[in-house]
Amino acid sequence: MFKGIVQGAGIIKKISKNDDTQRHGITFPKDILESIEKGTVMLVNGCSLTVVRISGDVVYFDIDQAINTTTFRELEVGNKVNLEVRPEFGSLLGKGALTGNIKGVATVDNITEEEDRLKVYIKIPKDLIENILSEDHIGINGVSHSIEEISDDIIFINYPKNLSITTNLGTLEKGSNVNVETLNVSNEWD
């Protein structure tokens, strides 16, 4: 499990492709690079991946099964991706914990900025929206946050604006696709 709190963003430096897989080489921030090694399991844009190689400040991941259920097929060299290293065993995870199991891809419907908030409206696929309730947490590219409102198949998330600097939320625009992990944390006993 992961906290759903992005620790930093990396930049895609290289993508190698063949029929069913891709290998992404991502330039890592120094502070995250120091905490990983080959075999480390971590979130990249919300998807659980394993480090297969490290060369200098570039970390490589093989993407196979996730290639058809995530946004990885769309990514290009120069794109920014969110990174989170799995917390140590026994760490408190909190209400918005993520597994790294992406449930689908959604599309940004609208984004507005206010003084200290980034308001993001996301069109969720019908097979996912049925299992989502207002005030549930949801993982969008590895950023876990509560849903403010749901209207038909559109969810509204009100992020603190500083997340647009420390994550790839600031690169989103209308029509951008994002990885989605649903978290159904509502408790029938509440």
Side-chain angles (χ1 to χ4, degrees), residues 88-147:
E88 291 185 24
F89 182 76
S91 296
L92 285 177
L93 297 176
K95 190 175 182 178
L98 300 176
T99 64
N101 182 12
I102 300 301
K103 302 296 185 193
V105 174
T107 305
V108 174
D109 189 64
N110 194 18
I111 297 178
T112 59
E113 289 186 39
E114 292 187 356
E115 189 173 312
D116 62 344
R117 307 304 289 174
L118 184 67
K119 296 182 174 198
V120 182
Y121 301 82
I122 301 171
K123 185 176 178 68
I124 302 290
K126 289 204 182 295
D127 59 329
L128 295 179
I129 199 73
E130 295 168 354
N131 299 316
I132 299 174
L133 301 173
S134 185
E135 298 183 20
D136 273 353
H137 274 72
I138 192 164
I140 301 296
N141 281 353
V143 180
S144 180
H145 207 279
S146 60
I147 298 168

Side-chain angles (χ1 to χ4, degrees), residues 35-83:
S35 65
I36 63 163
E37 58 189 31
K38 185 177 177 182
T40 298
V41 176
M42 59 183 302
L43 292 185
V44 178
N45 268 3
C47 184
S48 180
L49 298 175
T50 303
V51 174
V52 295
R53 181 173 172 242
I54 301 173
S55 178
D57 64 350
V58 180
V59 179
Y60 293 86
F61 300 91
D62 287 342
I63 304 159
D64 45 29
Q65 294 173 341
I67 202 71
N68 294 317
T69 57
T70 65
T71 61
F72 286 117
R73 185 179 297 279
E74 303 169 14
L75 295 178
E76 299 175 351
V77 170
N79 286 159
K80 191 184 224 185
V81 291
N82 294 330
L83 306 170

Side-chain angles (χ1 to χ4, degrees), residues 158-176:
N158 196 7
Y159 293 109
K161 195 168 183 180
N162 66 340
L163 284 179
S164 66
I165 298 165
T166 58
T167 70
N168 67 3
L169 290 176
T171 67
L172 297 179
E173 55 190 31
K174 184 175 178 150
S176 295

Side-chain angles (χ1 to χ4, degrees), residues 177-188:
N177 286 330
V178 292
N179 291 329
V180 176
E181 180 177 344
T182 55
L183 302 176
N184 300 27
V185 294
S186 298
N187 185 339
E188 64 185 41

